[in-house]
Amino acid sequence: MLLPVLTGVWLSLSGALGTELRRDGYSFRPPDTFRMTRWERYAGSHAGAVSEDVTRTRGLSAALADGEGPDAATFLIAVVDGGFSASPSERDAFSTAVVQHFQRELGVALTPERVDRIGGPVPRVEVLGTLREAGQVRTVLVTGLASEGRHAVVTVSAPAARWDAMAPRVRASLETFRMEAPVTGVISKRLAGALAGTLAGALLVSYAAWRRRRQGEGSASA
């Protein structure tokens, strides 16, 4: 568990990671060769927004690449409404959701090779697999990062021949990922549910009082 953290620190100090990127309530340091890509091709996309519940609010937040053309690697960050604990019980469910996301929403078959649960400051579940796209075999790493309220899913794709060389920088980048705390003034779902219950109870009491008053007025007029 300590080795990935130490590797991330070393890569960060050695300049293998770029400057910090802040967006949509999260921050991280991407590998130094990755840059933001033109957003037009991804606008409104659900690519990488893996969720067991497809009715959740979710969407692609940022797209980075380390070049152009079929040999480029991509780094996609999606934000999904709802918490994710990266617990052992969620490990298999997330893996299944990843495969279904690629098949049903992206129209490609992802073949999983391994699924790992990683501890640390921000626990995560990693699904590593391969797919064939335009005649090219690509390695894909899909990572669900633990967070309350909402969470991020990071999808990194690269030609299979490039993966071993870039994998340490990708995982070092994931070690820097942080989701900010909910904005002050935005109530949690749990609090919202309690508040809704209180308001509903008050409404019923008010309605009952109104009904009694109306019945009393009716009896008096009779």
Side-chain angles (χ1 to χ4, degrees), residues 185-216:
V186 178
I187 61 176
S188 67
K189 289 184 177 180
R190 184 181 305 174
L191 181 57
L195 179 60
T198 301
L199 291 175
L203 182 61
L204 288 174
V205 171
S206 177
Y207 178 74
W210 176 81
R211 289 281 296 173
R212 287 195 298 270
R213 187 172 66 252
R214 291 287 295 174
Q215 290 173 354

Side-chain angles (χ1 to χ4, degrees), residues 7 20 29 37 42 49 56 87 95 98 109 133 136 144 161 164 169 176 192 196 212-213 215 220:
T7 301
E20 184 179 64
R29 294 184 62 186
T37 63
Y42 293 104
R56 284 182 173 181
S87 64
S95 174
V98 167
E133 183 179 17
Q136 181 189 65
D164 288 344
R169 291 187 299 136
T176 70
R212 287 195 298 270
R213 187 172 66 252
Q215 290 173 354

Side-chain angles (χ1 to χ4, degrees), residues 69-73 130-139 157-162:
D71 291 332
T130 58
L131 58 79
R132 182 174 292 275
E133 183 179 17
Q136 181 189 65
V137 177
R138 296 181 70 89
T139 297
S157 171
R162 296 187 56 199

Side-chain angles (χ1 to χ4, degrees), residues 12-173:
S12 177
L13 294 176
S14 67
L17 298 182
T19 57
E20 184 179 64
L21 172 65
R22 289 181 173 272
R23 191 180 181 95
D24 294 339
Y26 61 81
S27 64
F28 78 107
R29 294 184 62 186
D32 61 337
T33 56
F34 282 78
R35 300 290 183 270
M36 294 287 288
T37 63
R38 294 179 59 183
W39 185 246
E40 291 81 2
R41 62 182 296 189
Y42 293 104
S45 173
H46 281 170
V50 176
S51 176
E52 297 176 59
D53 182 0
V54 296
T55 64
R56 284 182 173 181
T57 300
R58 58 199 173 99
L60 188 63
S61 171
L64 299 87
D66 67 352
E68 299 288 343
D71 291 332
T74 58
F75 201 114
L76 308 180
I77 304 96
V79 176
V80 180
D81 186 41
F84 181 71
S85 66
S87 64
S89 62
E90 287 188 318
R91 173 182 173 274
D92 292 339
F94 181 74
S95 174
T96 300
V98 167
V99 174
Q100 292 178 345
H101 172 72
F102 274 82
Q103 181 178 358
R104 298 176 182 177
E105 298 190 77
L106 304 183
V108 293
L110 177 71
T111 303
E113 295 182 352
R114 60 181 299 168
V115 182
D116 295 307
R117 179 179 178 271
I118 311 296
V122 181
R124 62 186 190 265
V125 174
E126 296 183 351
V127 179
L128 182 69
T130 58
L131 58 79
R132 182 174 292 275
E133 183 179 17
Q136 181 189 65
V137 177
R138 296 181 70 89
T139 297
V140 179
L141 179 69
V142 184
T143 304
L145 296 115
S147 181
E148 296 182 358
R150 59 178 186 153
H151 65 281
V153 178
V154 176
T155 302
V156 183
S157 171
R162 296 187 56 199
W163 179 253
D164 288 344
M166 68 181 300
R169 291 187 299 136
V170 169
R171 291 196 165 93
S173 176

